[in-house]
Amino acid sequence: MTDTTPRPVGPETDPDAPATTGPAEAPVLSVRDLQVAYRTGKHTRVRALRGVSFDLYPGSSLALVGESGSGKTTLGLALLRLLPTLGEITGGTIGYTGDDGRTREVTAMSSAQLRRWRWSEAAMVFQGAQNAFNPVLTIGQQMAETLRDHSRARISRKEILERSAEALRSVRLEPQRVLGSYPHELSGGMKQRALIATGLLLRPRLLVLDEPTTALDILTQRTVIDLLAELREEYGFAMIFISHDLALAAELADRVVTMYAGKVIETGTTQDIFTAPKHPYTSKLINAVPPVSGDLPELASIPGAPPSLATLPPGCAFAPRCELATDECRAAEPELITLTERPADMTHAAACIHHDQVHHERKVIARA
């Protein structure tokens, strides 16, 4: 099993020195060398995640960014063991630390343990609220099912109603209007907020959101963004935010992970990633997004297309699209290299041997 934890490098770093001390609190989630494969035939597997490692600390927000097919959603589903039938975790570990300080290995949980853990301690807000809700059940019925099925103790009908109403009010929805409504009777923004309320019913310590603003107009997006920021401050949950919208990631996240071809190729604070990216792919990804304020700079699309996970090129998967690529890049896949001397939750790392040649001019893409 390959350890893909970032390794320090640089003139001021002793490779044999002990690692920089991280935050006092243990990570809520500690993922190491996570690997996922999808079956595409009787004897054929495609590796969708290829050794993903990261830590998520209490109360923090982590954004997963990258092009479609980079592995973002697969990672989100794998963290809660919600992969489709053809998907399978083939290696690595997912350590979850609860409020009691005890760390449990998610990949080793039984079906019964997973059922108790999901939604009570770790919840997911799926992409596309219309598809996430059952169309023949009211919102109230679906919230009640979540409470009954995942609560650690028996819960009365009165308490179900009270907690459902409280959750809806927390996302600025009127319980009397929403609880008796079917999904198709709500607008897109209302459905999305009802889905977030359902995810927060049991006050989980970890919330994974997969493209929560997809297909919403910009004003509704603004409402959802503000709401998530307020809820995170109020409830104190840690959040993983999966998005192709870099402006949202810049606004909501404390840290950013850039993914490409099933691997983490750069990770750092939001400030690091959006002002001084050190992987050419991250820089090009930012340069391809128009800003929402100020003068419109020249936009540049990324040449080529993401590689097929079934036939990855040798060496760095981004090399065929990268103007910095050399024979050394094509010879072996680069490891994550730690570029900063900071605590663990503040490090900046990039999987690029030419990270010192990445020059980035665009500075801010966050919404005004």
Side-chain angles (χ1 to χ4, degrees):
M1 190 177 294
T2 304
D3 183 7
T4 58
T5 306
R7 58 183 178 83
V9 70
E12 300 177 1
T13 305
D14 178 1
D16 297 321
T20 305
T21 302
E25 282 190 281
V28 174
L29 206 62
S30 186
V31 179
R32 291 291 177 270
D33 195 29
L34 186 63
Q35 302 175 49
V36 169
Y38 287 104
R39 294 190 300 277
T40 58
K42 189 173 182 181
H43 302 292
T44 307
R45 284 184 176 183
V46 172
R47 296 174 66 199
L49 293 183
R50 303 181 299 121
V52 171
S53 298
F54 68 90
D55 290 322
L56 178 70
Y57 288 89
S60 64
S61 175
L62 177 74
L64 301 177
V65 302
E67 292 171 289
S68 296
S70 61
K72 306 185 301 297
T73 295
T74 292
L75 175 56
L77 293 171
L79 295 177
L80 270 71
R81 299 266 305 274
L82 289 170
L83 289 167
T85 305
L86 296 179
E88 179 186 4
I89 295 175
T90 57
T93 59
I94 306 170
Y96 170 81
T97 302
D99 287 325
D100 57 3
R102 187 165 62 95
T103 300
R104 286 164 284 172
E105 177 50 47
V106 177
T107 61
M109 287 183 182
S110 66
S111 296
Q113 290 171 327
L114 279 172
R115 190 179 186 86
R116 289 193 298 270
W117 178 69
R118 291 185 190 133
W119 269 256
S120 63
E121 296 193 55
M124 187 165 188
V125 176
F126 297 97
Q127 182 176 3
Q130 181 63 51
N131 297 327
F133 281 121
N134 187 327
V136 299
L137 297 177
T138 66
I139 300 298
Q141 289 172 321
Q142 295 182 64
M143 296 180 81
E145 279 190 355
T146 301
L147 283 167
R148 279 195 297 264
D149 293 347
H150 298 281
S151 294
R152 295 185 178 277
R154 291 178 63 88
I155 185 168
S156 68
R157 183 177 299 181
K158 179 182 178 182
E159 188 176 356
I160 287 174
L161 183 60
E162 290 175 348
R163 292 178 66 170
S164 297
E166 180 188 358
L168 288 173
R169 280 192 290 267
S170 74
V171 295
R172 303 174 193 163
L173 290 175
E174 175 53 54
Q176 291 182 334
R177 162 75 172 86
V178 175
L179 285 173
S181 298
Y182 290 91
H184 71 271
E185 296 178 308
L186 304 179
S187 69
M190 293 175 73
K191 278 196 290 282
Q192 195 64 57
R193 284 182 284 161
L195 196 58
I196 293 171
T198 304
L200 294 175
L201 270 173
L202 293 166
R203 303 289 178 87
R205 198 162 188 241
L206 168 65
L207 186 65
V208 180
L209 300 107
D210 185 10
E211 302 278 9
T213 59
T214 296
L216 300 179
D217 63 82
I218 192 166
L219 293 178
T220 307
Q221 284 187 22
R222 178 76 265 167
T223 300
V224 172
I225 294 166
D226 291 342
L227 186 61
L228 286 171
E230 291 175 13
L231 290 170
R232 186 160 71 97
E233 185 174 348
E234 180 181 353
Y235 295 143
F237 55 81
M239 181 170 72
I240 294 178
F241 181 80
I242 301 169
S243 183
H244 67 274
D245 189 330
L246 300 187
L248 296 184
E251 185 162 358
L252 278 175
D254 305 316
R255 288 186 60 79
V256 177
V257 166
T258 305
M259 295 190 66
Y260 189 79
K263 286 186 74 73
V264 173
I265 61 167
E266 186 166 10
T267 178
T269 65
T270 306
Q271 180 76 8
D272 286 334
I273 297 299
F274 290 116
T275 61
K278 291 302 179 183
H279 195 288
Y281 175 68
T282 307
S283 179
K284 288 180 178 296
L285 208 59
I286 295 170
N287 286 339
V289 178
V292 295
S293 62
D295 296 332
L296 180 65
E298 182 178 351
L299 302 180
S301 62
I302 305 176
S308 167
L309 293 174
T311 55
L312 287 172
C316 176
F318 187 62
R321 308 171 71 186
C322 181
E323 71 273 9
L324 299 179
T326 60
D327 290 342
E328 188 179 359
C329 301
R330 301 180 187 94
E333 194 162 38
E335 300 178 18
L336 273 176
I337 301 170
T338 299
L339 307 173
T340 55
E341 288 290 341
R342 301 178 190 161
D345 62 338
M346 298 288 288
T347 55
H348 187 186
C352 180
I353 60 177
H354 301 303
H355 58 83
D356 56 339
Q357 299 178 35
V358 178
H359 301 295
H360 186 74
E361 296 180 358
R362 291 275 299 281
K363 297 298 182 185
V364 180
I365 65 166
R367 300 175 190 273

